[in-house]
Amino acid sequence: MKNPLLEPFNEAPFSKIKNEHFKPAFLQAIEDTKKEIDDIVNNPEPPTFENTLEALDFSGQQLDRISSIFFNLNSAETNEEIQKIAQEVSPLLSEFSNDIVLNQGLFQRIKTVYEQLDSLDLTKEQQTLLEKKYKNFSRNGANLKEENKKRLREIDAELSKLKLTFGENVLAETNKYEMFLTDEKDVEGLPEGTKEAAAQLAKSKGKEGWLITLDYPSYIPFMKYAKNRELRKELSLAFGSKGFHNDELDNQENVIRIVNLRHERANLLGYDTHADFVLEERMAETPKKVLDFLHELLEKAKPAAEREFAELEAYAKELDNIDRLEKWDSAYYSEKLKQKLFNLDDEKLKPYFKLENVINGVFKVAEKLFGLTFKEVDHIDKYHEEVKTFEVYENDNFISLFYADFHPRPGKRGGAWMTSYKPQYTLGEKNSRPHISNVCNFTKPTSSKPSLLTFNEVTTLFHEFGHALHGMLANTTYPSLSGASVYWDFVELPSQVMENWCYEKEALELFAHHYETGELIPMEFVEKIKESATFQEGMATVRQLSFGLLDMAWHGKDPSEIKDVKAYETKAFESTDLFPETLETCMSTSFAHIFQGGYSSGYYSYKWAEVLDADAFAYFKENGIFSKMVADKFKEHVLSKGGTENPMELYKRFRGAEPNIDALLERAGLLETNG
């Protein structure tokens, strides 16, 4: 039986792949890549950039493609069988990646070329590749003694399994919780569309009434609109206690084990902490710089946050005689206060944000800025019928494939992300184009209404699409430097800058039309969206900073003395706390960004990139939000360049100067309120 993953393919052959194909494909592709590596190591010619660095970067392409298909499915369309395969193949892949970086012969060849760096006539991109590869080897143990190399391998194998288990537990906890409601009073306050979706969900389980889950499209509207405070509390505690029930899905031990292994690994490699190790390859460079950055912003945002909190608490008391504002009150009273202050309600806005219209809108924005056109096609193989597929063109030249997958399903993890099924690279004369995907969890259509997005979902769609543009417009030689393969605190710039267009009249006019009447979104709504953009920005900023500080608390110190996850987390949150403590909840046990994804010691980068994006968008505003000149510079120096140069150099070439933190504070309305 032929294995479709081992045959040559361009587009991912989803419909031909069965679960039993994955493990044999991984094993075979690992063997094939080992042979390619052996050929590099045993080449009798003296090491050169071409026969060592270039050969290494283009090795293992089949393995990379299989991995991207498999791990994307494990996030977007998983099941128990796929999760079991992930647990089996992750340690194999981690072992194999160690085989490469701990291969003494290979490192020797790279080192030989690296030591000639000054005398070689290399392009900027080639220099970056050489420096990155050399650092990658030395940062991952190539210079260690044999017994330390062995320990490093053990740590990496265990971490790869722990991260998967952490994520599986969170997904299982999310899927396990159900709140069935049968009394009309219990859904009082919920918008019609939310009630209809909840009734449809209950019906799909063979029940009458309404079903509320921990999936965002169900959870968020309930927290925002449900009048019943006790039910909000129940839902909030369920959401906040994922992985914190001292049962088989508990993540407390996993958290402690992960941070201790990361710390031990960093120490083995000669770094004080995991954060020191990670930040060496970031724009921020050191834990001190990150903490200074977070504390500087906290100092600016905290007074505003405390004022906003006091205002919200006073409003809740006036409205419902609530003495103490709790976490499960926040979204509910914020929404009510926002409606009072701005007369702006998500439910009024949603009819103007039909999903298909917003997709067309983001495409039009990309067309006006970067000259791209999107053509929906049905001949591309997909992994689920809900996935939409597009061919992307620039002046009739094919640029990229684009997959878009927008709604929650039991096999899909929460959140929204961009990913790639094939990187862009240039080999000989051929520029091989990328295959990029956006995966989100937006409100589903119901029997009476199409998928209508909240404004928050609109900005999420634009955000993920910004990441997608980074992938689509990549134009580099080497696959490992292409697209979003950039420093982690630079990767959020393209995504966050795109969100700005959602607030601009000129952009909204392209797509914000009422789904029934076709009427354009009233301009007073647009004004209110802009006015309300800074509503409770102090609280929102402090919340983001609290996550960054929690991340640094786990990864910027020696964790060997930590015994109690909750107590440690509580201490980390001290400087950012606004709400009373809830003993039943724990953020760390479901903080997938840092314990499952790649954000450990990097969560600060959302705020870091916001400084970049506010500064970058200020440049657009000075010249017009569809300025071809600014868009061309952004495409040339940021979107197309991937990780080929130091990001600060790229940014300065685009902007003419380093970014200014005041642009962010001004946009957030935090400048004038603090003197």
Side-chain angles (χ1 to χ4, degrees):
M1 179 179 79
K2 281 190 168 176
N3 187 328
L5 290 164
L6 293 169
E7 300 290 308
F9 60 84
N10 184 29
E11 291 112 26
F14 292 115
S15 62
K16 298 185 184 135
I17 304 169
K18 297 188 167 46
N19 285 344
E20 63 261 28
H21 290 140
F22 281 115
K23 197 169 174 189
F26 272 117
L27 292 171
Q28 182 62 54
I30 285 172
E31 282 315 303
D32 293 346
T33 310
K34 278 181 178 167
K35 285 196 192 79
E36 294 177 77
I37 301 292
D38 287 344
D39 288 347
I40 297 170
V41 176
N42 300 323
N43 186 339
E45 299 289 320
T48 63
F49 179 83
E50 285 74 18
N51 71 18
T52 303
L53 279 304
E54 207 160 76
L56 178 60
D57 210 56
F58 284 108
S59 68
Q61 289 191 301
Q62 189 83 355
L63 177 60
D64 290 343
R65 302 266 344 244
I66 295 165
S67 294
S68 71
I69 291 169
F70 175 75
F71 286 104
N72 285 330
L73 286 178
N74 191 33
S75 290
E77 189 57 21
T78 196
N79 53 44
E80 276 181 23
E81 203 180 340
I82 286 181
Q83 291 181 355
K84 187 168 170 291
I85 299 166
Q87 288 282 3
E88 288 168 16
V89 300
S90 292
L92 297 177
L93 290 167
S94 140
E95 177 73 5
F96 171 64
S97 112
N98 279 333
D99 282 343
I100 294 179
V101 294
L102 300 176
N103 182 322
Q104 216 36 55
L106 183 58
F107 181 54
Q108 227 22 75
R109 287 184 73 93
I110 292 170
K111 201 171 177 179
T112 305
V113 182
Y114 183 72
E115 282 163 355
Q116 306 163 17
L117 179 60
D118 294 340
S119 61
L120 296 173
D121 184 20
L122 298 180
T123 64
K124 190 73 193 137
E125 184 176 351
Q126 289 172 329
Q127 273 181 37
T128 303
L129 186 73
L130 176 52
E131 284 168 1
K132 277 195 172 170
K133 290 287 185 212
Y134 175 76
K135 263 186 161 171
N136 185 39
F137 276 70
S138 59
R139 280 168 54 80
N140 285 296
N143 291 318
L144 291 181
K145 294 195 186 83
E146 269 320 305
E147 69 266 25
N148 289 344
K149 283 185 181 174
K150 180 171 176 290
R151 179 62 192 135
L152 192 75
R153 286 170 176 275
E154 290 164 4
I155 291 172
D156 286 347
E158 192 180 342
L159 275 172
S160 72
K161 294 190 84 153
L162 281 167
K163 283 172 19 183
L164 281 171
T165 304
F166 182 95
E168 285 164 12
N169 288 351
V170 175
L171 181 63
E173 286 270 59
T174 306
N175 288 339
K176 192 171 89 167
Y177 178 85
E178 296 184 329
M179 187 160 81
F180 271 109
L181 303 172
T182 50
D183 188 336
E184 184 84 46
K185 280 216 304 287
D186 290 340
V187 289
E188 194 182 337
L190 291 188
E192 275 315 306
T194 303
K195 276 166 67 172
E196 190 182 349
Q200 212 164 292
L201 202 53
K203 200 171 173 189
S204 72
K205 302 266 174 138
K207 302 209 177 178
E208 286 297 308
W210 300 271
L211 173 57
I212 307 297
T213 70
L214 299 181
D215 284 323
Y216 280 124
S218 177
Y219 173 75
I220 288 172
F222 197 89
M223 295 310 295
K224 225 182 221 186
Y225 298 108
K227 200 168 177 184
N228 187 321
R229 191 183 187 202
E230 279 309 303
L231 290 177
R232 289 202 313 271
K233 177 179 178 178
E234 183 195 319
L235 194 65
S236 167
L237 293 180
F239 190 87
S241 60
K242 288 183 279 194
F244 189 57
H245 294 124
N246 294 309
D247 57 9
E248 72 285 357
L249 297 175
D250 194 273
N251 269 334
Q252 292 172 85
E253 284 301 312
N254 292 332
V255 165
I256 285 179
R257 188 76 187 131
I258 287 170
V259 294
N260 276 288
L261 285 171
R262 283 173 173 168
H263 185 72
E264 186 190 344
R265 189 181 194 281
N267 288 171
L268 266 180
L269 293 165
Y271 296 86
D272 284 346
T273 66
H274 179 67
D276 286 280
F277 169 76
V278 169
L279 293 166
E280 184 182 62
E281 290 290 273
R282 298 284 198 266
M283 291 175 85
E285 296 166 343
T286 65
K288 183 184 181 311
K289 238 182 174 173
V290 170
L291 288 167
D292 287 350
F293 169 73
L294 293 173
H295 285 128
E296 181 189 355
L297 271 177
L298 184 58
E299 206 181 305
K300 301 275 200 326
K302 186 84 184 273
E306 286 170 338
R307 274 199 305 278
E308 290 162 6
F309 184 80
E311 179 186 24
L312 191 61
E313 195 160 51
Y315 178 68
K317 183 157 180 57
E318 174 200 329
L319 206 63
D320 290 327
N321 213 13
I322 301 277
D323 279 331
R324 235 170 65 133
L325 202 62
E326 301 281 359
K327 286 176 183 163
W328 45 89
D329 298 318
S330 174
Y332 180 75
Y333 289 106
S334 290
E335 184 59 28
K336 286 214 167 323
L337 182 57
K338 187 174 170 182
Q339 288 181 31
K340 180 186 163 189
L341 294 176
F342 303 101
N343 190 19
L344 185 68
D345 171 1
D346 254 337
E347 290 306 304
K348 277 189 199 155
L349 295 176
K350 274 165 73 171
Y352 296 96
F353 296 127
K354 180 180 163 184
L355 174 60
E356 290 71 12
N357 293 351
V358 181
I359 297 168
N360 284 337
V362 83
F363 287 171
K364 280 180 186 162
V365 169
E367 183 178 356
K368 285 175 91 80
L369 289 169
F370 309 115
L372 302 180
T373 49
F374 295 77
K375 178 179 160 203
E376 186 162 5
V377 290
D378 54 14
H379 61 270
I380 306 292
D381 214 341
K382 40 195 176 186
Y383 55 86
H384 192 280
E385 63 192 13
E386 288 180 354
V387 177
K388 296 171 179 289
T389 49
F390 301 87
E391 288 172 348
V392 187
Y393 293 90
E394 183 184 11
N395 307 326
D396 298 329
N397 295 320
F398 175 75
I399 287 294
S400 175
L401 270 187
F402 179 51
Y403 299 81
D405 178 3
F406 289 120
H407 302 297
R409 295 186 293 274
K412 189 196 270 196
R413 70 173 168 86
W417 63 95
M418 166 272 198
T419 188
S420 149
Y421 287 108
K422 176 177 175 287
Q424 175 275 333
Y425 56 85
T426 309
L427 195 52
E429 294 296 296
K430 187 173 181 336
N431 190 327
S432 185
R433 299 310 302 168
H435 301 171
I436 304 297
S437 167
N438 274 171
V439 187
C440 303
N441 280 280
F442 295 144
T443 313
K444 282 188 158 182
T446 63
S447 47
S448 70
K449 283 191 182 75
S451 175
L452 300 175
L453 304 190
T454 65
F455 187 69
N456 197 25
E457 288 178 322
V458 175
T459 59
T460 298
L461 191 148
F462 270 71
H463 177 104
E464 295 309 330
F465 189 76
H467 282 308
L469 287 171
H470 206 182
M472 292 177 202
L473 290 169
N475 196 17
T476 62
T477 306
Y478 303 109
S480 74
L481 300 179
S482 179
S485 304
V486 298
Y487 279 0
W488 211 265
D489 43 10
F490 193 58
V491 81
E492 295 296 336
L493 166 61
S495 53
Q496 290 183 185
V497 84
M498 280 304 288
E499 293 182 33
N500 290 285
W501 275 266
C502 303
Y503 295 91
E504 297 296 325
K505 173 175 180 282
E506 237 180 302
L508 286 166
E509 283 175 348
L510 300 173
F511 65 91
H513 293 266
H514 196 287
Y515 77 102
E516 287 172 317
T517 65
E519 176 211 359
L520 179 65
I521 190 167
M523 280 310 117
E524 79 225 44
F525 285 5
V526 178
E527 283 314 308
K528 283 174 179 167
I529 288 172
K530 288 191 84 145
E531 272 175 41
S532 67
T534 59
F535 173 66
Q536 292 188 341
E537 190 58 40
M539 281 168 70
T541 300
V542 167
R543 182 170 176 268
Q544 276 296 82
L545 295 173
S546 76
F547 299 162
L549 289 165
L550 178 63
D551 173 28
M552 293 305 286
W554 281 119
H555 295 112
K557 300 186 179 89
D558 177 350
S560 55
E561 297 301 306
I562 304 169
K563 298 288 177 273
D564 182 332
V565 171
K566 171 71 175 175
Y568 190 71
E569 170 177 300
T570 303
K571 195 161 173 25
F573 279 152
E574 262 174 4
S575 64
T576 56
D577 269 343
L578 295 167
F579 289 90
E581 180 53 59
T582 46
L583 297 173
E584 305 93 320
T585 62
C586 181
M587 159 124 195
S588 300
T589 53
S590 63
F591 198 174
H593 271 79
I594 67 170
F595 292 119
Q596 179 193 6
Y599 278 85
S600 62
S601 307
Y603 202 86
Y604 75 90
S605 55
Y606 282 104
K607 275 289 161 206
W608 184 276
E610 265 189 61
V611 172
L612 297 176
D613 104 64
D615 187 65
F617 194 65
Y619 191 23
F620 273 100
K621 296 275 283 192
E622 286 158 23
N623 294 279
I625 65 161
F626 289 114
S627 159
K628 205 73 195 106
M629 180 272 290
V630 182
D632 285 349
K633 282 177 80 171
F634 193 67
K635 179 170 154 187
E636 184 188 344
H637 299 303
V638 177
L639 295 176
S640 70
K641 283 287 192 293
T644 56
E645 291 186 54
N646 178 296
M648 191 56 91
E649 291 309 309
L650 292 175
Y651 188 84
K652 285 195 300 202
R653 225 173 287 152
F654 156 67
R655 188 65 168 103
E658 289 205 1
N660 182 349
I661 198 168
D662 285 351
L664 171 64
L665 295 169
E666 187 179 335
R667 183 177 71 185
L670 298 174
L671 261 189
E672 61 283 358
T673 55
N674 292 300

